[in-house]
Amino acid sequence: MDLSILPLTQPKARPRDENTLAFGKTFSDRMFVMEYTAGRGWHSARIQPYGPFSLDPAAAVLHYAQEIFEGLKAFRRQDGGIVLFRPKDNIQRFNRSAERMCMPRVDEAFFLRALKELVRLEADWVPRSEGTSLYIRPTMIATDPYLGVRPSDTYLCYVILSPVAAYYKGGFSPVKIWIADEFVRSAPGGTGEAKTGGNYAASLRASMEAAKLGFDQVLWLDAVHRKYVEEVGSMNICFYLDGKVVTSPLKGTILDGITRRSVLTLIRDLGIEVEERALSVDEILEGAASGRLREAFGTGTAAVVSPVGQFTYRGRNVQVGDGQVGELTLKLYDTLTGIQYGRLPDTHGWIETV
């Protein structure tokens, strides 16, 4: 498939102060777009000026939430070069989400080429300040104007770019986590492992309740027993317990995080054992109280690594370690961001040059 580059006639003004950028509110000049029609496949691939779409009010995405997305970042190195972090993994996960949601796969090699070309054209939008990056959001939506419940015959796939400020503006500090037992994010056999909007919509109520109570994030428990840890907010979570790092197994209810994979690799590089197993909320509380639980941290694209200082469950508060950022947590954050920004060597082949 050919990739057309449409002219840009009205470029936007660039943000003056990169440190004041709000996540996901500022968008670059251009976006990538292509369309799918049953019997024809993907077609009309182009990079065009950023702008709104026209959708029929009956479009399937608006009624049945047949939609997927991804999230990754472009980083500006100290020498001015621009790189992507594990984009092939994100595109592969995009296709796995598409399969789960009965949507067409994209050609991974072409999609990566188009994504790189978009970032190259928008290179001036990749911020230069310490800790900043260009957030990349690939998305696919069902566009059939039909109210019957079935997979769509037509789809729109697009990629938009958003410059974002450093995540930790006020310093790398631990967060307070509320463990929810009334609400669940996903259930076995559901869509929890797909990166689809419905999973995030299902999380909003509990997140609002947590914020009202003064907490930073929600820790989700499993839907069957309401006992075993799954994810925290929109991140995977790890526990440094009894000298090992324990994290929830990938069994269809949680996202196979690219940052999660990277962090687990770095942990093994340090000679620390990793256990992917079911971990109960009782074990977390007891471990924090006894000191067996030394550290806990979330992993995700936005924050990279997010230290946890406190858990609260049914009114019981427990502090993790001394309540400060743990040595392992800080080491993982510094190592991963060091690789992304070029301060440390990439020994795993994670970096793609734009």
Side-chain angles (χ1 to χ4, degrees):
M1 183 164 46
D2 293 330
L3 177 63
S4 300
I5 311 296
L6 304 187
L8 176 68
T9 57
Q10 294 182 312
K12 304 173 185 177
R14 305 285 191 277
R16 290 187 177 182
D17 185 354
E18 294 177 346
N19 292 312
T20 63
L21 289 166
F23 185 87
K25 288 191 174 182
T26 302
F27 300 97
S28 73
D29 286 317
R30 298 175 177 90
M31 61 183 182
F32 167 77
V33 182
M34 65 179 179
E35 291 147 35
Y36 179 92
T37 306
R40 183 180 176 187
W42 289 108
H43 59 88
S44 306
R46 64 220 184 249
I47 293 176
Q48 66 181 51
Y50 182 96
F53 297 120
S54 177
L55 282 179
D56 193 289
V61 65
L62 303 176
H63 300 270
Y64 306 120
Q66 199 185 8
E67 177 269 0
I68 60 170
F69 66 95
E70 264 302 325
L72 63 155
K73 287 179 177 178
F75 303 90
R76 189 178 295 279
R77 297 293 185 97
Q78 293 174 340
D79 62 3
I82 298 170
V83 300
L84 305 175
F85 182 74
R86 305 191 72 167
K88 292 177 183 176
D89 296 87
N90 285 95
I91 296 170
Q92 290 169 2
R93 189 173 66 182
F94 193 65
N95 272 338
R96 291 198 302 274
S97 294
E99 289 181 350
R100 179 62 183 86
M101 301 301 291
C102 300
M103 303 173 83
R105 293 171 59 93
V106 300
D107 180 281
E108 293 177 7
F110 173 79
F111 202 67
L112 179 59
R113 178 166 70 86
L115 194 154
K116 283 185 173 182
E117 183 61 25
L118 177 62
V119 174
R120 272 193 289 267
L121 287 169
E122 301 292 78
D124 286 347
W125 284 89
V126 183
R128 300 173 182 275
S129 304
E130 178 73 20
T132 60
S133 57
L134 184 70
Y135 185 77
I136 304 169
R137 173 54 63 89
T139 306
M140 190 193 303
I141 62 173
T143 55
D144 254 8
Y146 174 71
L147 296 183
V149 183
R150 61 158 174 78
S152 180
D153 286 330
T154 60
Y155 296 89
L156 182 68
C157 181
Y158 60 94
V159 180
I160 56 177
L161 309 175
S162 177
V164 296
Y167 189 87
Y168 294 106
K169 296 179 184 178
F172 190 55
S173 56
V175 296
K176 295 192 300 180
I177 302 295
W178 180 53
I179 302 176
D181 59 359
E182 178 183 356
F183 305 102
V184 295
R185 175 187 170 274
S186 65
T191 61
E193 65 182 344
K195 202 162 177 67
T196 182
N199 293 338
Y200 295 81
S203 74
L204 296 178
R205 176 68 184 276
S207 297
M208 289 178 63
E209 294 292 331
K212 287 179 184 177
L213 296 170
F215 295 97
D216 301 298
Q217 292 278 4
V218 174
L219 176 63
W220 303 101
L221 300 179
D222 74 289
V224 177
H225 306 285
R226 305 290 179 92
K227 171 180 182 178
Y228 296 105
V229 169
E230 297 221 315
E231 290 189 341
V232 57
S234 56
M235 298 185 291
N236 300 117
I237 189 164
C238 299
F239 301 88
Y240 192 18
L241 180 72
D242 293 333
K244 305 173 185 177
V245 172
V246 183
T247 192
S248 303
L250 302 176
K251 58 184 189 302
T253 56
I254 67 172
L255 192 67
D256 179 5
I258 309 302
T259 308
R260 172 189 184 274
R261 288 191 219 170
S262 307
V263 163
L264 295 186
T265 297
L266 295 177
I267 290 167
R268 293 185 176 105
D269 287 348
L270 294 170
I272 299 172
E273 184 179 345
V274 172
E275 282 189 358
E276 297 183 60
R277 65 170 175 87
L279 181 67
S280 72
V281 64
D282 290 336
E283 191 173 358
I284 292 170
L285 298 177
E286 188 279 325
S290 67
R292 292 173 51 223
L293 178 63
R294 295 168 57 183
E295 302 178 34
F297 51 88
T299 64
T301 299
V304 185
V305 176
S306 183
V308 177
Q310 175 188 309
F311 290 105
T312 296
Y313 180 61
R314 295 180 177 176
R316 179 185 174 188
N317 301 319
V318 293
Q319 180 176 286
V320 179
D322 60 2
Q324 302 303 310
V325 178
E327 181 180 345
L328 176 61
T329 302
L330 183 58
K331 174 73 172 177
L332 294 170
Y333 177 79
D334 286 344
T335 302
L336 201 50
T337 55
I339 293 169
Q340 290 170 337
Y341 288 98
R343 295 187 296 268
L344 294 175
D346 171 27
T347 59
H348 295 285
W350 291 339
I351 296 299
E352 289 262 355
T353 302
V354 172

